[in-house]
Amino acid sequence: LLPYDNSPVFDESHKQAMYPSLWMQLSTVWYSKRIAEIIGKERLQQYVERFSYGNKDIQDNFTTAHLASTLKISPVEQIDFLQHMISYKLPILRNSVDETKKLLFCRKYSSLWSLYGKTGTAFDENEKKHLAWFIGWIEKEQQQILFALLINNSETMPTKETRETFISNFFLQSGIILR
């Protein structure tokens, strides 16, 4: 649990003490920055390299590297990273992956499929455009289907719920999952 540090926020709900599940639910930037500071730039760079995460460049500003900075990752690279994570092929403890999976849980469908994922938004200052994404997977027993949705140059930022609904509808309409 980290106390709110009086950082500027875009949503009043972020002005409170945070713990991991609330941070993931709200995508609270001040908490992300604080965790990055606790980990430290050198150690965070080691993780990014060991995970082969995108272009591995956090030199711009390591506390906001996950937002819009020199760190870049494509949808294909995100899928690759997720595949390594959910199959326990990252160089981290199995328990850490299990706890992360719990944090990424979104919903369960009556057909026994479960949806896991994380949304994010950013503004690319260089290209003057909004980015919105939702990466994750659906899972039933030992079957997993990964996805990466990237909305590039959106005039309005689609909500987390809109992106989750889009992915749910995609899998429902394709017949992969049933209501």
Side-chain angles (χ1 to χ4, degrees), residues 122-123 128-132 151-159:
F123 183 74
K128 305 291 185 219
K129 63 182 179 181
H130 292 281
L131 303 171
I151 301 169
N152 209 338
N153 206 15
S154 178
E155 287 185 23
T156 60
M157 197 52 59
T159 66

Side-chain angles (χ1 to χ4, degrees), residues 1-19 22-23 26-38 63-64 66-67:
L1 181 70
L2 290 177
Y4 173 58
D5 67 357
N6 294 317
S7 294
V9 296
F10 70 91
D11 188 311
E12 290 296 311
S13 67
H14 296 206
K15 289 184 175 181
Q16 62 178 308
M18 285 287 149
Y19 48 91
L22 187 58
W23 161 55
L26 298 177
S27 292
T28 307
V29 173
W30 73 259
Y31 186 91
S32 300
K33 287 180 177 180
R34 186 70 185 109
I35 294 298
E37 290 167 356
I38 290 168
T63 63
T64 58
H66 66 290
L67 296 172

